[in-house]
Amino acid sequence: MIVYDFVLNEETALEQVNGDTLAAARKVIAVHINYPSRAAQRGRTPAQPSYFLKPSSSLAMSGNAVERPAGCELLGYEGEIALVIGKAARRVNLEDAWSHVAAITASNDLGVYDLRYADKGSNLRSKGGDGFTPVGPALIPADAVNPARLRIRAWHNGDLVQDDTTEDLLFPFDRLVADLSQLLTLEEGDIILTGTPAGASVAKPGDVLEVEVGTADGTLTTGRLVTRVEEGTTPFADFGAQPKVDDLQREEAYGSRAAAGLPAADAAAAPRLSPELKAKLESVCTATLSSQLRKRGLNNVSIDGLTSTRPEKRIVGLARTLRYVPNREDLFKTHGGGFNAQKRAIDSVNEGEILVMEARGEKGTGTIGDILALRAQVRGAAAIITDGGVRDFSAVAAMELPTYYANPHPAVLGRRHIPWDTDITIACGGTTVQPGDIIVADADGILVIPPAMAEEVADDSIVQEREETFIAEMVEKGHSVDGLYPLNAEWRAKYNEWDAMGSRQSE
């Protein structure tokens, strides 16, 4: 049995990570995605945790240096909370899982994206290098903290770059321990890295990285785990994988194309809305889509406060954007007349696209009228969305083209707005919209769906609505919602039988 001699006194002195701590670790297990902020950044939210192994030889203490291997460009850092197993765990349940954790500490899950391609997802070479898992400097006893009330922060050359809590983890710590123990024995001294929040990026030789873990109220802290980055001098031998990067790896390492210093993706290469995906999204209501987005940590993706001229229609399309800025007379002279941004946006919207306008919620003038709305309809636009006013309202409302608006207003454009720019990131109805986002709207409201997760969200929404159809049938037959909504194990089994029967009848 590994014994940690923790001291919790007025100075909150804690056991320090030392060589014995590192030697006790037989294996290091890391979780891929666990924070909603990271899932949103990556554009995918796993239904179950997934893991990879790091060798115990990658462990290092605070104050040590880490090499960026010679020839490599992208040494990524990821501040994480590390769990230290205190007693063996095999097939433990959720209720007992946390009792098998002796301590928590700070960790930095380092890795080189240059070798990510080489091991097909195992991350052995990309994340297994010597010194690639610094931990420390202090251990906080697990029984002294609430695992759902921890805070993690990371600094890059003194700048705070990661700051999150464990309150809304996709997979709480006890679940990770219990889940892993179902198949393998977690041994005393093993370390579990529990995922990183958004903000992870790339470090270069000469940089200093720091990670700190503590209670959300600040009463207990590991202190700052410090790692200095040095340039490696020994090149890779020619009989093994060589460092190799492309813009995709740079984007993933830095977190975005902009952070990596890359130009915006070519509009022609932007995500497209396939007929199959469009049909899926049209088959489910926005209420269901909203619940699936919320499960993935996205709560601020609805365009609020607008009314539709065609509320009976469900629309799905890719966003094109137009931004209005507050009127200033000298600027309106240069930007308001001629073939301005408003007219360019209308005259370039394509079939099936949705023109979304940022009008700052200003209701004192129109942002679209009958002539331009007709032009958008002729071009095949799926809808117009504006958080401002609509002129010539009766004519616009009579069109087949759905228009979402804040209010009717007779005033012409130059009273409150200048049409400023097109196909840029905008704000509309309280949320952010980017060109190429997928817009879904029906009588319940308007949602903005990041293209990278749209397929997954659509598939899970179809499953959810199938389950809700079954639940509604059972309620109609007189069953209580207790245990039925949501489905408990007994009702889940009945649903599976019902679903299988329906599938066979449709064959």
Side-chain angles (χ1 to χ4, degrees), residues 1-224:
M1 172 72 73
I2 297 169
V3 178
Y4 295 100
D5 186 18
F6 295 111
V7 179
L8 290 175
N9 55 27
E10 293 178 356
E11 290 77 32
T12 62
L14 301 171
E15 177 77 12
Q16 299 296 299
V17 171
N18 54 36
D20 291 338
T21 310
L22 304 190
R26 301 186 186 185
K27 54 185 173 288
V28 180
I29 303 171
V31 179
H32 280 107
I33 294 178
N34 198 13
Y35 286 79
S37 62
R38 181 71 161 178
Q41 186 181 50
R42 285 293 197 229
R44 59 184 183 272
T45 302
Q48 300 291 338
S50 62
Y51 312 93
F52 60 94
L53 283 168
K54 300 189 75 169
S56 58
S57 55
S58 69
L59 291 166
M61 291 187 294
S62 183
N64 285 14
V66 65
E67 281 191 2
R68 186 183 72 176
C72 289
E73 173 189 333
L74 303 175
L75 176 66
Y77 61 83
E78 300 176 4
E80 306 206 11
I81 298 173
L83 312 182
V84 182
I85 298 299
K87 61 180 180 179
R90 178 69 166 119
R91 295 196 177 102
V92 301
N93 56 37
L94 288 172
E95 291 73 21
D96 297 330
W98 189 245
S99 69
H100 291 261
V101 179
I104 64 168
T105 191
S107 181
N108 198 337
D109 182 15
L110 298 164
V112 281
Y113 282 73
D114 312 61
L115 294 174
R116 203 177 179 199
Y117 76 95
D119 293 309
K120 296 182 180 179
S122 77
N123 291 335
L124 179 60
R125 278 174 283 195
S126 63
K127 292 216 170 197
D130 288 354
F132 277 18
T133 317
V135 294
L139 296 162
I140 300 176
D143 60 6
V145 301
N146 179 343
R149 295 291 185 271
L150 298 175
R151 183 185 187 189
I152 179 168
R153 292 182 291 172
W155 293 262
H156 184 182
N157 293 332
D159 294 327
L160 182 65
V161 291
Q162 292 184 283
D163 190 354
D164 212 331
T165 71
T166 57
E167 185 175 0
D168 296 315
L169 290 178
L170 300 176
F171 313 112
F173 295 160
D174 55 355
R175 179 173 172 182
L176 298 178
V177 174
D179 182 42
L180 285 165
S181 77
Q182 301 310 298
L183 192 61
L184 56 92
T185 299
L186 295 173
E187 300 167 298
E188 300 167 8
D190 285 352
I191 292 174
I192 302 173
L193 307 185
T194 57
T196 194
S201 189
V202 172
K204 299 178 180 179
D207 289 353
V208 176
L209 304 170
E210 299 171 279
V211 183
E212 182 179 15
V213 169
T215 52
D217 61 8
T219 56
L220 290 174
T221 175
T222 61
R224 293 197 186 186

Side-chain angles (χ1 to χ4, degrees), residues 332 364-367 391 409-417:
F332 191 84
T365 190
T367 57
R391 293 183 69 233
H409 200 282
V412 296
L413 185 63
R415 182 169 186 250
R416 298 284 175 84
H417 300 302

